[in-house]
Amino acid sequence: MAPISIYIVEDELILAHDLRSRLNEMGYEILGIDIKGESAVENIAVLKEHKKEPDIVIMDVRLAGKMDGIEAARVITENYNCGIIFLTSMNKSEVFTKSFSLKPYAYLFKPVDFDQVRAAIEVANYQRHLEMTNERIISELKNEIEQRKKAEKERNQRLQERIRAEQKVNQLLKQKHQMELDLINRELATSSIFISQKNKIIGLIKKDINRLLKNDKIITRNEIARVLKTIDDNIKFDNDWYRIKAHFEKIHPGFFDRLRKQYPQLTPNDHKLCALLRMNLNTKEIAHILKITAPSTEISRIRLRKKLNLNKGINLTQYICEV
């Protein structure tokens, strides 16, 4: 273990050399002697540059130069890790008042007792190492805390990036789902319009054939009857309804279940009308699809309102859309 290194600042040269001699005999390493505070500060700075900073500085309170021992000690403690032991012949109370803020490790009073000097050096060096160890531990803890904060910040950033990525994926999935719904809705609307137009055309054909039946023609009534039966079979809504219902349930899942639960009195035909209203079709379009007249459609709407027990101020279509 390296010996404790000491720097002596004492303007009484005889005492300074005596201290160096006696402390050398005790096994301490004396790095230098100064009689002025200014030169002591400069020389300790040089020692610091050469990594030979003293462990303990024995500092006389009264020095010959412009800088007294207390001011020199203040500069040293602010810039270096040296422990200060004051040496003085001044009144104890006066010394304490002037130097207590520097928190020196010990006070030695002249005439010097070398046993006290040795004890003060050992205690001061132990306390100095203890404080330096505490400072190192605190510094390491601060660094560890900073590293943990940095790591936590990085984890939070990664978490935020992951959340943003998931939100983006969810948004894309939502857009995809909406596009699929729009496609199904267009298919449903196209099917409905197709059925409406088909029924309209077939209805016109039926009307024309009925008109032919009123005239005396070569066509037999049996043949005409068969044609009319074929047309009747093709304009029945039930066959096309299953296709419309399948598309509808993809867009509005659970709609019919909610209808049956809330309004068990509704008939299958009422369910069909509700579905067409939910598709926001107008009376004319509904009439073509159901193969009934527009007035009959209005009557069906009125009956449905009564079954739903709706007041006059409530819009039927809007109400069905909220089911």
Side-chain angles (χ1 to χ4, degrees):
M1 183 176 179
I4 299 172
S5 60
I6 298 174
Y7 200 93
I8 300 171
V9 187
E10 168 61 56
D11 64 351
E12 296 182 24
L13 284 176
I14 295 175
L15 178 57
H17 287 289
D18 191 24
L19 278 170
R20 180 172 62 181
S21 177
R22 296 292 296 271
L23 293 175
N24 272 329
E25 291 176 0
M26 294 178 185
Y28 301 118
E29 180 184 8
I30 308 303
L31 299 180
I33 294 176
D34 267 305
I35 61 173
K36 294 182 179 181
E38 299 93 327
S39 58
V41 170
E42 293 175 0
N43 290 330
I44 290 175
V46 173
L47 289 171
K48 173 69 174 180
E49 291 177 359
H50 292 83
K51 297 182 180 180
K52 288 289 291 181
E53 182 181 15
D55 298 319
I56 302 295
V57 176
I58 297 178
M59 179 74 69
D60 191 0
V61 175
R62 288 179 177 174
L63 297 173
K66 295 180 180 180
M67 182 182 291
D68 65 6
I70 293 175
E71 182 61 26
R74 179 177 290 105
V75 174
I76 291 171
T77 54
E78 288 176 354
N79 294 279
Y80 312 107
N81 289 321
C82 305
I84 302 295
I85 295 177
F86 280 120
L87 178 64
T88 183
S89 59
M90 295 172 57
N91 179 274
K92 293 181 180 181
S93 177
E94 183 182 357
V95 174
F96 291 158
T97 302
K98 291 182 178 180
S99 64
F100 188 75
S101 62
L102 298 178
K103 298 180 180 179
Y105 289 118
Y107 291 94
L108 295 173
F109 296 93
K110 300 175 183 179
V112 174
D113 182 332
F114 285 98
D115 288 335
Q116 290 182 357
V117 172
R118 184 171 190 170
I121 290 172
E122 293 295 332
V123 172
N125 189 62
Y126 175 79
Q127 187 175 351
R128 173 177 173 272
H129 279 292
L130 185 63
E131 290 177 356
M132 291 174 64
T133 301
N134 289 339
E135 289 177 0
R136 178 178 55 79
I137 292 173
I138 291 172
S139 178
E140 291 175 354
L141 288 174
K142 286 181 178 179
N143 289 334
E144 184 178 352
I145 291 171
E146 289 299 321
Q147 291 297 325
R148 289 185 179 182
K149 286 182 178 179
K150 183 178 179 181
E152 184 67 22
K153 183 178 179 180
E154 291 175 354
R155 283 195 295 269
N156 289 336
Q157 287 177 345
R158 289 195 296 269
L159 179 61
Q160 292 297 325
E161 291 173 357
R162 181 178 176 183
I163 291 174
R164 285 193 293 269
E166 290 178 351
Q167 289 175 342
K168 184 66 175 178
V169 171
N170 290 336
Q171 183 180 1
L172 292 174
L173 290 175
K174 185 177 180 180
Q175 291 176 353
K176 180 183 177 183
H177 180 64
Q178 186 60 46
M179 290 173 64
E180 291 174 349
L181 288 180
D182 291 341
L183 178 61
I184 294 172
N185 201 26
R186 287 195 297 270
E187 291 177 354
L188 181 58
T190 302
S191 298
S192 300
I193 294 172
F194 171 78
I195 294 169
S196 175
Q197 291 299 110
K198 183 197 72 171
N199 288 346
K200 182 178 180 181
I201 294 171
I202 294 176
L204 292 174
I205 295 173
K206 182 178 179 181
K207 183 178 180 180
D208 290 340
I209 294 177
N210 281 328
R211 189 168 54 252
L212 290 173
L213 289 175
K214 296 179 181 179
N215 301 324
D216 294 332
K217 299 289 182 179
I218 298 175
I219 301 173
T220 65
R221 295 183 65 85
N222 288 336
E223 291 174 336
I224 296 297
R226 281 196 300 271
V227 172
L228 290 175
K229 185 178 183 304
T230 301
I231 294 173
D232 285 337
D233 291 339
N234 278 279
I235 61 176
K236 287 182 179 179
F237 179 67
D238 290 340
N239 293 331
D240 293 317
W241 168 247
Y242 292 110
R243 183 171 58 171
I244 294 176
K245 184 179 180 183
H247 285 301
F248 181 87
E249 288 180 333
K250 289 181 181 179
I251 302 175
H252 309 291
F255 177 79
F256 294 109
D257 291 335
R258 291 193 294 273
L259 270 183
R260 281 189 287 270
K261 184 177 180 180
Q262 296 180 35
Y263 306 103
Q265 71 275 21
L266 298 182
T267 66
N269 286 334
D270 293 330
H271 288 177
K272 295 175 184 178
L273 178 58
C274 288
L276 297 174
L277 290 171
R278 184 64 179 81
M279 291 164 57
N280 206 26
L281 299 179
N282 58 38
T283 300
K284 188 175 181 180
E285 291 170 333
I286 293 174
H288 284 312
I289 293 173
L290 296 178
K291 195 187 169 294
I292 58 177
T293 63
S296 297
T297 304
E298 289 297 334
I299 292 173
S300 298
R301 291 170 64 104
I302 292 171
R303 290 174 178 170
L304 180 61
R305 290 182 65 89
K306 290 182 179 179
K307 291 181 179 180
L308 298 177
N309 196 25
L310 298 183
N311 297 326
K312 291 183 179 181
I314 299 176
N315 182 277
L316 176 61
T317 302
Q318 183 177 354
Y319 183 83
I320 293 298
C321 289
E322 296 174 355
V323 171

